[in-house]
Structure formats: C-alpha cells, structure tokens
Coordinates of all heavy atoms in Angstrom, one line a residue:
M1 N -24.8 3.6 4.9 CA -24.3 3.9 3.6 C -22.9 4.6 3.7 O -22.0 4.4 3.0 CB -25.2 4.8 2.8 CG -24.8 5.2 1.4 SD -26.0 6.2 0.5 CE -27.4 5.1 0.5
T2 N -22.8 5.5 4.8 CA -21.5 6.2 5.0 C -20.5 5.2 5.5 O -19.3 5.2 5.0 CB -21.7 7.3 6.1 OG1 -22.7 8.2 5.6 CG2 -20.4 8.0 6.4
V3 N -20.9 4.3 6.3 CA -19.9 3.2 6.8 C -19.5 2.4 5.6 O -18.3 2.0 5.5 CB -20.6 2.3 7.9 CG1 -19.7 1.2 8.2 CG2 -20.9 3.2 9.1
N4 N -20.5 2.0 4.8 CA -20.2 1.2 3.6 C -19.1 1.8 2.7 O -18.2 1.2 2.2 CB -21.5 0.9 2.8 CG -21.2 -0.1 1.7 OD1 -20.9 0.3 0.6 ND2 -21.4 -1.4 2.0
R5 N -19.2 3.2 2.5 CA -18.2 3.9 1.7 C -16.8 3.7 2.3 O -15.8 3.5 1.6 CB -18.6 5.3 1.6 CG -17.5 6.1 0.8 CD -17.9 7.6 0.6 NE -16.8 8.3 -0.1 CZ -16.9 9.6 -0.4 NH1 -18.0 10.3 -0.2 NH2 -15.9 10.2 -1.0
A6 N -16.7 3.9 3.6 CA -15.4 3.8 4.3 C -14.8 2.4 4.1 O -13.6 2.2 3.8 CB -15.5 4.1 5.8
L7 N -15.7 1.4 4.3 CA -15.2 0.0 4.2 C -14.8 -0.4 2.8 O -13.9 -1.1 2.5 CB -16.3 -1.0 4.8 CG -16.7 -0.8 6.2 CD1 -17.6 -1.9 6.6 CD2 -15.4 -0.8 7.1
K8 N -15.6 0.2 1.8 CA -15.4 -0.1 0.4 C -14.0 0.5 0.0 O -13.2 -0.2 -0.7 CB -16.5 0.5 -0.4 CG -16.3 0.3 -1.9 CD -17.5 0.8 -2.7 CE -17.4 0.6 -4.2 NZ -16.3 1.3 -4.8
E9 N -13.7 1.7 0.5 CA -12.4 2.3 0.1 C -11.3 1.6 0.7 O -10.2 1.4 0.1 CB -12.4 3.8 0.5 CG -13.4 4.7 -0.3 CD -13.1 6.1 -0.1 OE1 -12.2 6.5 0.6 OE2 -13.9 6.9 -0.7
L10 N -11.4 1.2 2.0 CA -10.3 0.4 2.6 C -10.1 -0.9 2.0 O -9.0 -1.5 2.0 CB -10.6 0.3 4.1 CG -10.4 1.6 4.9 CD1 -10.9 1.4 6.4 CD2 -9.0 2.1 4.9
S11 N -11.2 -1.5 1.5 CA -11.1 -2.8 0.8 C -10.4 -2.6 -0.5 O -9.5 -3.4 -0.9 CB -12.5 -3.4 0.5 OG -13.1 -3.7 1.8
E12 N -10.7 -1.5 -1.2 CA -10.0 -1.3 -2.5 C -8.5 -1.0 -2.3 O -7.7 -1.2 -3.2 CB -10.7 -0.1 -3.2 CG -12.1 -0.4 -3.7 CD -12.8 0.8 -4.2 OE1 -12.3 2.0 -4.0 OE2 -13.9 0.7 -4.9
E13 N -8.2 -0.4 -1.1 CA -6.8 -0.1 -0.7 C -6.1 -1.4 -0.2 O -4.9 -1.3 0.3 CB -6.7 1.0 0.3 CG -7.2 2.3 -0.3 CD -7.5 3.4 0.7 OE1 -7.2 3.1 1.9 OE2 -8.0 4.5 0.4
R14 N -6.8 -2.5 -0.1 CA -6.3 -3.8 0.3 C -5.9 -3.8 1.8 O -5.1 -4.5 2.3 CB -5.0 -4.2 -0.5 CG -5.4 -4.4 -2.0 CD -4.2 -5.0 -2.7 NE -3.1 -4.0 -2.7 CZ -1.9 -4.2 -3.3 NH1 -1.6 -5.4 -3.9 NH2 -1.0 -3.3 -3.3
V15 N -6.6 -2.9 2.6 CA -6.4 -2.9 4.0 C -7.4 -3.9 4.7 O -7.1 -4.6 5.6 CB -6.7 -1.5 4.6 CG1 -6.6 -1.5 6.1 CG2 -5.7 -0.5 4.0
L16 N -8.6 -3.9 4.1 CA -9.7 -4.8 4.6 C -10.1 -5.8 3.6 O -9.9 -5.6 2.4 CB -10.9 -4.0 5.1 CG -10.7 -3.0 6.2 CD1 -12.0 -2.2 6.4 CD2 -10.2 -3.6 7.4
E17 N -10.7 -6.9 4.0 CA -11.2 -7.9 3.1 C -12.7 -8.2 3.6 O -12.9 -8.6 4.7 CB -10.4 -9.2 3.3 CG -10.9 -10.4 2.4 CD -10.1 -11.6 2.6 OE1 -9.1 -11.6 3.3 OE2 -10.6 -12.7 2.0
R18 N -13.6 -8.0 2.6 CA -15.0 -8.2 2.9 C -15.4 -9.6 2.4 O -15.3 -9.9 1.3 CB -15.8 -7.1 2.3 CG -15.3 -5.7 2.7 CD -16.1 -4.6 2.1 NE -17.4 -4.4 2.8 CZ -18.3 -3.4 2.5 NH1 -18.1 -2.6 1.4 NH2 -19.4 -3.3 3.2
R19 N -16.0 -10.4 3.3 CA -16.4 -11.7 3.0 C -17.9 -11.8 3.1 O -18.5 -11.6 4.1 CB -15.7 -12.8 3.9 CG -14.2 -12.7 3.9 CD -13.6 -13.6 4.9 NE -12.2 -13.4 5.1 CZ -11.5 -13.9 6.1 NH1 -12.1 -14.7 7.0 NH2 -10.2 -13.6 6.2
Q20 N -18.5 -12.2 2.0 CA -20.0 -12.3 1.9 C -20.5 -13.2 2.9 O -20.1 -14.4 3.0 CB -20.4 -12.8 0.5 CG -21.9 -12.8 0.2 CD -22.4 -11.3 0.2 OE1 -21.7 -10.4 -0.3 NE2 -23.6 -11.1 0.6
G21 N -21.4 -12.7 3.8 CA -22.0 -13.5 4.8 C -21.2 -13.7 6.1 O -21.7 -14.3 7.0
S22 N -20.0 -13.3 6.1 CA -19.1 -13.5 7.2 C -18.7 -12.2 7.9 O -18.5 -12.2 9.1 CB -17.8 -14.2 6.8 OG -18.1 -15.5 6.3
G23 N -18.6 -11.1 7.2 CA -18.2 -9.8 7.8 C -17.0 -9.2 7.1 O -16.6 -9.6 6.0
T24 N -16.3 -8.3 7.8 CA -15.2 -7.6 7.2 C -14.0 -7.9 8.1 O -14.1 -7.8 9.4 CB -15.4 -6.1 7.2 OG1 -16.6 -5.8 6.4 CG2 -14.3 -5.3 6.5
F25 N -12.8 -8.2 7.5 CA -11.6 -8.6 8.2 C -10.4 -7.8 7.8 O -10.4 -7.2 6.7 CB -11.4 -10.1 7.9 CG -12.5 -11.0 8.4 CD1 -13.6 -11.2 7.6 CD2 -12.4 -11.7 9.6 CE1 -14.6 -12.0 8.0 CE2 -13.4 -12.6 9.9 CZ -14.5 -12.7 9.1
V26 N -9.5 -7.7 8.7 CA -8.2 -7.1 8.4 C -7.5 -8.0 7.4 O -7.3 -9.2 7.7 CB -7.3 -6.8 9.6 CG1 -6.0 -6.2 9.2 CG2 -8.0 -6.0 10.6
A27 N -7.1 -7.5 6.2 CA -6.5 -8.3 5.2 C -5.2 -8.9 5.6 O -4.3 -8.2 6.2 CB -6.3 -7.4 3.9
Q28 N -5.1 -10.2 5.4 CA -3.8 -10.9 5.8 C -2.7 -10.4 4.9 O -1.6 -10.2 5.4 CB -4.0 -12.4 5.6 CG -5.0 -13.1 6.6 CD -4.3 -13.4 7.9 OE1 -3.1 -13.1 8.1 NE2 -5.0 -14.0 8.8
Q29 N -2.9 -10.4 3.6 CA -1.8 -10.1 2.7 C -1.2 -8.7 3.0 O 0.0 -8.5 3.0 CB -2.3 -10.1 1.3 CG -1.2 -9.7 0.2 CD -1.8 -9.7 -1.2 OE1 -3.0 -9.8 -1.4 NE2 -1.0 -9.6 -2.1
Q30 N -2.0 -7.7 3.3 CA -1.5 -6.4 3.4 C -0.6 -6.2 4.6 O 0.4 -5.5 4.5 CB -2.7 -5.4 3.7 CG -2.4 -4.0 3.8 CD -1.9 -3.4 2.5 OE1 -2.3 -3.9 1.4 NE2 -1.1 -2.4 2.5
F31 N -0.8 -7.0 5.6 CA 0.0 -6.8 6.8 C 1.0 -7.9 7.1 O 1.5 -8.0 8.2 CB -0.9 -6.6 8.0 CG -1.7 -5.3 7.9 CD1 -2.9 -5.3 7.3 CD2 -1.1 -4.1 8.4 CE1 -3.6 -4.1 7.1 CE2 -1.8 -2.9 8.2 CZ -3.0 -2.9 7.6
N32 N 1.3 -8.7 6.1 CA 2.4 -9.7 6.2 C 3.5 -9.5 5.2 O 4.4 -10.3 5.2 CB 1.8 -11.1 6.1 CG 1.0 -11.5 7.3 OD1 1.2 -11.0 8.4 ND2 0.0 -12.3 7.1
H33 N 3.4 -8.5 4.4 CA 4.5 -8.4 3.3 C 4.8 -6.9 3.1 O 4.1 -6.0 3.3 CB 3.9 -8.9 2.0 CG 3.6 -10.4 2.0 ND1 4.5 -11.4 2.0 CD2 2.4 -11.0 2.2 CE1 3.9 -12.6 2.0 NE2 2.6 -12.3 2.2
T34 N 6.1 -6.7 2.7 CA 6.5 -5.4 2.3 C 6.4 -5.3 0.8 O 6.9 -6.2 0.1 CB 8.0 -5.2 2.7 OG1 8.0 -5.2 4.1 CG2 8.5 -3.8 2.2
F35 N 5.7 -4.4 0.3 CA 5.4 -4.3 -1.2 C 6.4 -3.4 -2.0 O 6.4 -3.4 -3.2 CB 4.0 -3.7 -1.4 CG 2.9 -4.7 -1.0 CD1 2.4 -4.7 0.3 CD2 2.4 -5.7 -1.8 CE1 1.5 -5.7 0.7 CE2 1.5 -6.6 -1.5 CZ 1.0 -6.6 -0.2
V36 N 7.2 -2.7 -1.3 CA 8.2 -1.8 -2.0 C 9.6 -2.1 -1.5 O 9.8 -2.4 -0.3 CB 7.8 -0.3 -1.9 CG1 6.5 0.0 -2.5 CG2 7.8 0.1 -0.4
E37 N 10.5 -2.0 -2.4 CA 11.9 -2.1 -2.0 C 12.4 -0.7 -1.7 O 12.3 0.2 -2.4 CB 12.8 -2.7 -3.1 CG 14.2 -2.8 -2.8 CD 15.1 -3.3 -3.9 OE1 14.5 -3.5 -5.0 OE2 16.3 -3.5 -3.7
V38 N 13.0 -0.6 -0.5 CA 13.5 0.7 0.0 C 15.0 0.7 -0.1 O 15.7 -0.2 0.6 CB 13.0 1.1 1.4 CG1 13.7 2.4 1.9 CG2 11.5 1.2 1.4
R39 N 15.7 1.5 -0.8 CA 17.1 1.5 -1.0 C 17.7 1.9 0.4 O 17.3 2.8 1.1 CB 17.5 2.5 -2.1 CG 17.1 2.2 -3.4 CD 17.7 0.9 -4.0 NE 19.1 1.0 -4.1 CZ 19.9 -0.1 -4.5 NH1 19.3 -1.2 -4.7 NH2 21.2 0.1 -4.6
N40 N 18.8 1.2 0.7 CA 19.5 1.4 2.0 C 20.9 1.8 1.7 O 21.7 1.0 1.2 CB 19.5 0.1 2.7 CG 20.2 0.2 4.0 OD1 21.0 1.0 4.3 ND2 19.8 -0.8 4.9
I41 N 21.3 3.1 2.0 CA 22.6 3.6 1.6 C 23.7 2.8 2.4 O 24.8 2.6 1.8 CB 22.8 5.1 1.9 CG1 24.1 5.6 1.3 CG2 22.7 5.4 3.4 CD1 24.2 7.1 1.3
A42 N 23.4 2.3 3.6 CA 24.4 1.6 4.3 C 24.8 0.3 3.5 O 26.0 0.0 3.4 CB 23.9 1.2 5.7
E43 N 23.8 -0.4 3.0 CA 24.1 -1.6 2.3 C 24.8 -1.3 0.9 O 25.7 -2.1 0.5 CB 22.8 -2.4 2.0 CG 22.2 -3.0 3.3 CD 23.2 -4.0 4.0 OE1 23.9 -4.7 3.3 OE2 23.2 -3.9 5.2
D44 N 24.4 -0.2 0.3 CA 25.0 0.2 -1.0 C 26.5 0.4 -0.8 O 27.3 0.0 -1.6 CB 24.3 1.4 -1.5 CG 22.9 1.2 -2.1 OD1 22.6 0.0 -2.3 OD2 22.2 2.1 -2.3
L45 N 26.8 1.1 0.3 CA 28.2 1.5 0.5 C 29.0 0.3 0.9 O 30.2 0.1 0.5 CB 28.3 2.6 1.6 CG 27.8 3.9 1.2 CD1 27.8 4.9 2.4 CD2 28.6 4.5 0.0
K46 N 28.4 -0.6 1.8 CA 29.2 -1.8 2.2 C 29.4 -2.7 1.0 O 30.4 -3.4 0.9 CB 28.4 -2.5 3.3 CG 28.4 -1.8 4.6 CD 27.4 -2.4 5.6 CE 27.4 -1.7 6.9 NZ 26.4 -2.3 7.9

C-alpha cells in the first residue's frame, strides 16, 4: 500500500506510466520534451 502511494503520485506527476497487467514504466513523454520555455538573456540581447 505504501509502495502503491509512491507510484500513484509519480504517475500523477507524469514521471511514471502504469500499464494494467504489464507493470510500471518510466514515462516516455516526460523525458523526451521540455515543457516550459526558459527565457535566455543572451538570445534576447542578440
């Protein structure tokens, strides 16, 4: 039950993906994309 809570929270945070009957996997989407744009002063000035 304690493990389930940890996995549930990480799944809700899109870190893990739980697949019925297959197990729990590191989410593909989470670790292949940048979700926020970070302003870069160097590019702004250039």
